[in-house]
Amino acid sequence: MPTREISNRKSGPKQFIYTFSGGRAEGDASMKNLLGGKGANLAEMANIGLPVPPGFTLSTEVCTWYYEHGQTYPDGLFEEEIPRALATIEEALGRKFGDPGNPLLISVRSGARASMPGMMDTILNLGLNEQTVAGLARKSGNPRFAWDCYRRFVQMYGDVVLGLKPADKKQKDPFEEILEARKHALGIKVDTEFSTEDLQEIVGHYKAAILDKTGRSFPDDPHEQLRGAIGAVFESWNNERAIIYRRLNHIPGYWGTACNVQAMVFGNMGEDCGTGVAFTRDAATGKNIFYGEFLMNAQGEDVVAGTRTPLDISQLKEENPEIYRQLDDIRATLEKHYRDMMDIEFTIENNILFMLQCRVGKRTGPAALKIAVDMFKEGLIDEKEAILRIEPEQLNQLLRPVFDVREKQAAVQSGRLLATGLNAGPGAATGKICFNATDAAERNRRGEPVILVRIETSPEDIKGMAVSEGILTERGGMTSHAALVARQMGKVCVVGCGALSIDYQNAEMRIDGSDVVLHEGDDLSLDGTTGEVIAGSLPTRNSEIIEVLVDGTRKPEDAPSWEVYNQLMLWADRYRRLQIRANADQPDQAAVALTFGAEGIGLCRTEHMFFGGERIQAMREMILADDLEERNTAISKLLPYQREDFYGLFKTMGSHPVTIRLLDPPLHEFLPHSDEEIMRLAIGMGKPYEHVKERIAALHEFNPMLGLRGCRLGILHPEITIMQVQAIMEAACQLRQEGLEVVPEIMVPLVSTLKELEITAEIIHKTARSVIAEQWIGVKYLVGTMIEVPRAAITSAEIATAADFFSYGTNDLTQMTLGMSRDDSGQFLPTYQQHDIFPRNPFESIDIDGVGRLITLSASEGRSVKPDLKLGICGEHGGDPASVEFCHKTGLNYVSCSPYRVPVARLAAARAALLG
Ligand code: PEP
Ligand code: MG
């Protein structure tokens, strides 16, 4: 029966509740925004005839209403709509909510648009009280089961809805204390040893604790219970861990969560019952195998909570071949229907299989690539969809280091292999042991790499997981909280390592069967690909892709991940419109950039060329020269170095464009600071120490970022610009003679007015023309400017008259637009992000509303006078996928990023083009 629209509410008629039941649902998978991921997929599964227990979803609009109207609900929701929707469940099952004769029990679960595993609240077995528990006992013929459900329900409700769960993990949960005390008194170890009478007694203690702590009795009325549970689910949208998770995953707070109310099915009613979770393919490697875990006689949360280590799904085939066959059929149906790898939850109740959830499965980067390419080959998706299936950042996991095989072998042979757990998140990690999230965050703040070691993780640990290199747990399976969250974060992770005995109190861990004891701060290494836990630190080695591409130490045919990587990159290049360049200053960096697919150099920071060997001496002589003659002598020493540098860079890049930026930073950056170094320099220059010291002091600036740098240097000291341009042009002429045509792009930094550019451009043209005349060789060159000062962005129409190209220097542009130092903002930006002042660090991802608007204005002003004006970006943002998308939309010609980000930028550019 479809739910009627609720009338008489302030924002006009709307449907707030959507039912699903046996082969028919009011919603479907496309309605995630309204029904949340869980609700939309439950509806979809019901629609395609899968066995889903009946239920209904309160839409995310109820949640947003709740918050917008002072934590209240739309009129009639509890009085009319929920009873009506409950009736559809009662009708489908022939049970009644609150009926002691044949009680209907329900679960109440959160479910946002994007999955937020374990972050929000769930209440199971709702609808039980002293009367219905007796009814359930009679109906199931299993009083112990009924009281076990009641015990779990009172505990869960007490913790979640009545707020008895302590916020601080160091304090004990009162229900756990009661449970432990009973176990101790009875001399038993596990819950399953409690008798019915024990459970009845425990429920009595629980209720007394609730009365004691809240001053109110535990609610017996199922409708009151339901109202409380729905409120708790909506409240949990704004609990601290959900807020942190949203921030880490860029999920906006205004989305709200849906709330799913569904008939309970029981996996803990006996030995013909069970529950499990599975992936339709291997979420770690992407292999096309059914991959999952189950526990017989258990309730859903037991599997994900990681408190009992579950069995491999292949064992279900032996234990219950018929259920396995049904599940395997559902696996095929779901993959065909969703055309993706799915993550499912199921329950077996008295030998009947029920599907409780399905969603697109989280996967590692390597798995994402393999699944996308395999599904293309299987004809399930086309290449455009394959590209859209992969988040650009996931590519990073294929480029991540692994342990050096020999070093690891040596460590293992020397007895450093401590234990082996489950390989939940691939890659190699080395760091200092921390046993809790706070210590992990503290060590990370000090710049130390961290391995977070926990008995099991819970959502409270995510702060610590986010800052760790790797995560290790004693308990839990491949779908435990630790495994899921680590994979999503792209962290190295080993779980279920049963040989560990972790002692939080003493901040140490022992290894069973050995006398090894490791303490907080000790070095530990994790191989997330094999599950090995190794004492001490271990050097890491490049990944397969890096070995093929950069090191040349592995043949493509010996690198399984190469094929999928290469295929994906070929597809990406087919669809992207943006060109991808790299920021590189040395020929070896340029060579790496080329292997990653860079199509040019977007920024060569020439100041980086002056630090090596004798160059720095000549540079210092130039800066400290007392007159023009001295300066020219020093400059003539620098010229051959620069010519050699540019020759090497142009030659490596062949016919690809290379943008060389004239000297940019404040001169004092090149000068020595210690007395000893100053003395050495003075001796080298044949000048008195005091004199050199005074000259250095005279160059001191209070705000060097806004001082004598960029084009200002060349305007004060044109001889620097002349030398650099001469070196660029002579290198280009030499290569031209050797048969290689290069077109240098000479870039002027930190321009804010047209006049600055005109003066500098004149020096460039004069010098270039004189080199060309002297060498008798025609070499083309371009003169352009960085746009990194807001004034230059605003006056781009004028500046474009003197420029062949613009390159947006978004590091400085962000600094100057926001008035925030790029070097010092680490002090306050994390707090700014917490307050959502900037959802992302604006130095990492373009502040689209501010800096972005300046770029958009500049691009259109520039092109209004020069339609062919070439536009690029060379700030750090060039490797950030969201910024790449912005550059695509703004019509830039290229993005330039660090060489190792080039594959990410290629994929991001293709996705931007496909998403239109
Ligand atoms: C920039 O400001 O964005 C830029 C690329 O220049 P630099 O980082 O060298 O100041
Ligand atoms: Mg800059």
Side-chain angles (χ1 to χ4, degrees):
M1 181 183 78
T3 310
R4 187 176 65 79
E5 288 196 339
I6 300 175
S7 54
N8 77 327
R9 63 176 72 98
K10 293 151 201 154
S11 65
K14 239 181 211 173
Q15 183 172 351
F16 281 121
I17 292 182
Y18 295 76
T19 57
F20 51 87
S21 141
R24 201 159 51 102
E26 290 181 295
D28 61 46
S30 69
M31 294 163 71
K32 280 204 183 69
N33 292 1
L34 201 58
L35 303 182
K38 190 187 296 248
N41 284 326
L42 280 169
E44 188 77 11
M45 284 198 292
N47 282 333
I48 61 173
L50 297 186
V52 174
F56 59 90
T57 304
L58 282 93
S59 79
T60 52
E61 287 179 347
V62 182
C63 184
T64 45
W65 173 290
Y66 178 78
Y67 282 110
E68 280 167 10
H69 295 80
Q71 269 115 314
T72 60
Y73 298 97
D75 297 343
L77 189 74
F78 283 95
E79 298 73 22
E80 298 168 35
E81 300 314 313
I82 289 180
R84 206 185 310 274
L86 267 174
T88 64
I89 309 180
E90 293 172 337
E91 211 172 277
L93 294 180
R95 297 179 205 159
K96 237 176 144 33
F97 193 50
D99 175 5
N102 191 9
L104 166 69
L105 301 193
I106 53 179
S107 64
V108 180
R109 297 168 197 258
S110 56
R113 273 192 219 187
S115 122
M116 295 171 57
M119 298 299 133
M120 290 183 289
D121 289 332
T122 286
I123 294 100
L124 303 177
N125 303 321
L126 191 140
L128 281 173
N129 54 29
E130 299 286 335
Q131 287 75 44
T132 52
V133 73
L136 182 65
R138 261 196 316 277
K139 239 1 224 180
S140 64
N142 189 342
R144 195 200 169 281
F145 153 75
W147 278 92
D148 187 39
C149 289
Y150 196 24
R151 198 272 304 163
R152 288 171 189 252
F153 169 55
V154 176
Q155 176 163 354
M156 221 173 201
Y157 199 91
D159 272 337
V160 170
V161 184
L162 306 176
L164 264 60
K165 193 185 183 74
D168 183 350
K169 266 204 128 183
K170 287 190 194 118
Q171 286 172 353
K172 274 212 151 191
D173 180 311
F175 302 114
E176 286 301 328
E177 267 181 340
I178 293 169
L179 212 59
E180 288 308 314
R182 288 312 298 154
K183 278 189 200 161
H184 188 73
L186 295 165
I188 60 173
K189 277 199 143 59
V190 285
D191 300 3
T192 44
E193 293 177 76
F194 285 128
S195 67
T196 310
E197 292 69 32
D198 296 334
L199 292 165
Q200 286 170 336
E201 203 181 309
I202 291 167
V203 169
H205 287 303
Y206 277 5
K207 288 186 172 177
I210 289 169
L211 184 60
D212 180 42
K213 296 217 188 292
T214 66
R216 285 170 47 204
S217 304
F218 186 81
D220 277 338
D221 173 8
H223 290 278
E224 190 187 339
Q225 292 172 357
L226 179 57
R227 191 178 178 116
I230 290 172
V233 163
F234 289 147
E235 283 292 320
S236 70
W237 174 250
N238 274 338
N239 70 33
E240 194 200 346
R241 58 179 195 249
I243 292 172
I244 294 172
Y245 186 91
R246 286 208 293 273
R247 195 177 312 127
L248 282 171
N249 293 280
H250 316 301
I251 297 172
Y254 67 82
W255 279 4
T257 180
C259 177
N260 298 292
V261 178
Q262 194 177 17
M264 286 293 300
V265 281
F266 295 98
N268 57 337
M269 241 195 314
E271 287 313 314
D272 60 352
C273 304
T275 187
V277 290
F279 292 95
T280 55
R281 297 186 190 209
D282 185 332
T285 64
K287 277 197 193 130
N288 191 358
I289 50 169
F290 198 16
Y291 191 86
E293 293 155 337
F294 72 102
L295 275 173
M296 292 313 277
N297 204 2
Q299 218 169 38
E301 301 308 300
D302 298 338
V303 182
V304 250
T307 40
R308 274 165 71 187
T309 300
L311 305 174
D312 194 283
I313 198 87
S314 57
Q315 263 171 272
L316 184 62
K317 200 174 185 174
E318 282 147 39
E319 277 195 29
N320 196 330
E322 176 49 27
I323 292 284
Y324 182 85
R325 192 195 55 73
Q326 287 175 27
L327 204 55
D328 202 32
D329 281 353
I330 288 176
R331 170 192 176 214
T333 306
L334 284 174
E335 278 219 345
K336 239 197 186 133
H337 185 74
Y338 282 91
R339 300 176 305 112
D340 206 341
M341 187 271 269
M342 305 301 287
D343 169 354
I344 59 177
E345 281 181 29
F346 60 92
T347 284
I348 308 158
E349 183 185 275
N350 301 135
N351 260 330
I352 301 171
L353 178 65
F354 290 97
M355 297 302 294
L356 296 191
Q357 171 157 321
C358 88
R359 60 186 169 193
V360 170
K362 299 265 183 264
R363 59 205 78 178
T364 63
L369 258 76
K370 178 154 173 56
I371 291 170
V373 174
D374 283 354
M375 285 197 165
F376 168 82
K377 287 185 194 157
E378 290 160 28
L380 284 174
I381 57 175
D382 63 16
E383 58 194 47
K384 292 186 193 168
E385 201 159 344
I387 292 170
L388 293 173
R389 289 277 172 93
I390 294 148
E391 291 295 332
E393 290 294 350
Q394 286 184 311
L395 266 180
N396 263 345
Q397 291 177 32
L398 270 89
L399 307 172
R400 269 212 317 236
V402 291
F403 288 126
D404 181 279
V405 180
R406 267 186 229 119
E407 292 271 2
K408 197 179 110 181
Q409 237 168 20
V412 170
Q413 275 161 7
S414 66
R416 282 168 54 196
L417 177 62
L418 300 174
T420 303
L422 301 173
N423 52 341
T430 281
K432 307 267 180 209
I433 295 175
C434 283
F435 290 105
N436 63 59
T438 315
D439 293 347
E442 176 52 27
R443 263 187 202 276
N444 171 264
R445 213 183 45 74
R446 298 204 300 261
E448 292 180 49
V450 169
I451 303 287
L452 182 67
V453 180
R454 301 283 301 162
I455 296 174
E456 63 199 282
T457 64
S458 70
E460 280 94 333
D461 292 316
I462 56 166
K463 256 191 270 185
M465 297 171 83
V467 298
S468 300
E469 305 298 311
I471 295 135
L472 170 64
T473 69
E474 183 182 322
R475 296 195 203 139
M478 291 297 262
T479 44
S480 61
H481 177 266
L484 286 179
V485 176
R487 268 203 292 273
Q488 195 177 336
M489 288 181 173
K491 298 278 175 189
V492 173
C493 182
V494 176
V495 297
C497 193
L500 311 180
S501 296
I502 297 168
D503 176 353
Y504 292 145
Q505 215 95 43
N506 294 310
E508 61 179 37
M509 83 180 178
R510 292 171 186 278
I511 314 299
D512 293 355
S514 86
D515 46 15
V516 175
V517 186
L518 292 172
H519 300 94
E520 206 225 298
D522 287 349
D523 284 310
L524 191 70
S525 301
L526 300 181
D527 189 330
T529 311
T530 61
E532 290 161 299
V533 181
I534 298 161
S537 73
L538 264 182
T540 50
R541 196 181 48 63
N542 287 339
S543 73
E544 263 179 24
I545 309 279
I546 301 288
E547 285 186 333
V548 171
L549 276 180
V550 182
D551 308 342
T553 50
R554 190 185 285 265
K555 291 199 204 101
E557 56 273 26
D558 297 335
S561 52
W562 165 258
E563 188 205 331
V564 286
Y565 166 84
N566 194 38
Q567 178 62 77
L568 183 79
M569 287 291 109
L570 289 173
W571 286 334
D573 290 346
R574 193 171 297 162
Y575 292 99
R576 72 185 157 88
R577 185 190 51 70
L578 275 173
Q579 285 168 19
I580 312 295
R581 296 195 189 186
N583 295 353
D585 322 311
Q586 310 289 344
D588 58 341
Q589 292 170 1
V592 169
L594 279 177
T595 61
F596 281 128
E599 295 161 301
I601 288 183
L603 174 64
C604 162
R605 291 181 167 99
T606 52
E607 54 273 16
H608 290 176
M609 296 168 150
F610 291 116
F611 281 97
E614 289 160 21
R615 299 159 184 228
I616 190 69
Q617 175 71 15
M619 187 70 180
R620 286 169 174 169
E621 285 172 20
M622 179 196 79
I623 296 167
L624 297 173
D626 283 318
D627 52 36
L628 191 59
E629 200 185 323
E630 263 184 40
R631 180 164 297 116
N632 279 336
T633 311
I635 280 179
S636 64
K637 288 187 202 165
L638 284 171
L639 179 70
Y641 291 131
Q642 281 270 269
R643 192 168 41 222
E644 189 189 318
D645 290 335
F646 298 138
Y647 176 86
L649 208 54
F650 289 146
K651 192 164 176 153
T652 307
M653 293 305 291
S655 54
H656 296 291
V658 176
T659 307
I660 310 271
R661 182 178 71 185
L662 300 178
L663 196 64
D664 182 18
L667 294 180
H668 78 270
E669 280 196 8
F670 296 96
L671 297 176
H673 297 292
S674 75
D675 283 346
E676 202 186 321
E677 279 180 311
I678 296 173
M679 178 63 89
R680 222 178 299 135
L681 179 61
I683 294 168
M685 290 177 74
K687 297 207 168 182
Y689 165 83
E690 286 306 327
H691 177 79
V692 174
K693 192 159 173 145
E694 261 168 43
R695 293 278 297 133
I696 291 175
L699 285 167
H700 172 78
E701 291 176 313
F702 283 105
N703 200 341
M705 269 294 177
L706 303 176
L708 179 56
R709 59 176 287 221
C711 64
R712 298 162 200 169
L713 277 174
I715 291 173
L716 257 70
H717 304 297
E719 53 283 5
I720 303 177
T721 305
I722 293 169
M723 179 274 288
Q724 289 200 296
V725 175
Q726 190 178 339
I728 294 168
M729 295 306 292
E730 286 178 359
C733 288
Q734 190 178 337
L735 282 162
R736 184 72 215 264
Q737 255 169 351
E738 293 169 18
L740 188 67
E741 189 164 351
V742 290
V743 182
E745 298 180 353
I746 302 172
M747 181 154 77
V748 184
L750 218 76
V751 160
S752 53
T753 70
L754 171 63
K755 195 77 190 159
E756 283 173 320
L757 182 59
E758 281 175 343
I759 293 173
T760 313
E762 198 185 318
I763 301 169
I764 296 171
H765 287 306
K766 218 164 135 191
T767 311
R769 277 197 294 267
S770 97
V771 173
I772 289 166
E774 220 169 78
Q775 307 253 342
W776 279 81
I777 294 174
V779 168
K780 284 197 212 121
Y781 64 95
L782 305 179
V783 177
T785 180
M786 306 254 323
I787 300 287
E788 50 187 345
V789 179
R791 189 185 191 285
I794 293 165
T795 59
S796 285
E798 287 137 57
I799 290 186
T801 58
D804 298 318
F805 64 90
F806 284 174
S807 178
Y808 294 100
T810 43
N811 303 333
D812 275 310
L813 192 58
T814 301
Q815 166 168 263
M816 295 192 218
T817 305
L818 273 54
M820 267 182 201
S821 160
R822 52 197 270 193
D823 303 311
D824 302 320
S825 47
Q827 298 256 17
F828 53 86
L829 270 179
T831 313
Y832 262 49
Q833 281 174 260
Q834 269 167 28
H835 287 291
D836 255 0
I837 298 174
F838 290 110
R840 302 220 21 215
N841 180 335
F843 289 100
E844 259 169 45
S845 192
I846 286 183
D847 156 39
I848 290 177
D849 296 337
V851 176
R853 216 182 282 181
L854 272 181
I855 295 175
T856 309
L857 170 79
S858 159
S860 81
E861 291 273 307
R863 285 199 173 138
S864 71
V865 290
K866 263 196 192 153
D868 296 338
L869 188 69
K870 190 155 46 161
L871 301 176
I873 177 178
C874 63
E876 285 313 294
H877 305 83
D880 165 65
S883 310
V884 171
E885 189 181 336
F886 165 80
C887 293
H888 171 87
K889 285 190 184 143
T890 313
L892 266 50
N893 299 86
Y894 68 85
V895 298
S896 188
C897 56
S898 73
Y900 281 81
R901 296 293 292 182
V902 167
V904 172
R906 283 162 75 190
L907 180 58
R911 287 168 55 97
L914 287 174
L915 291 169

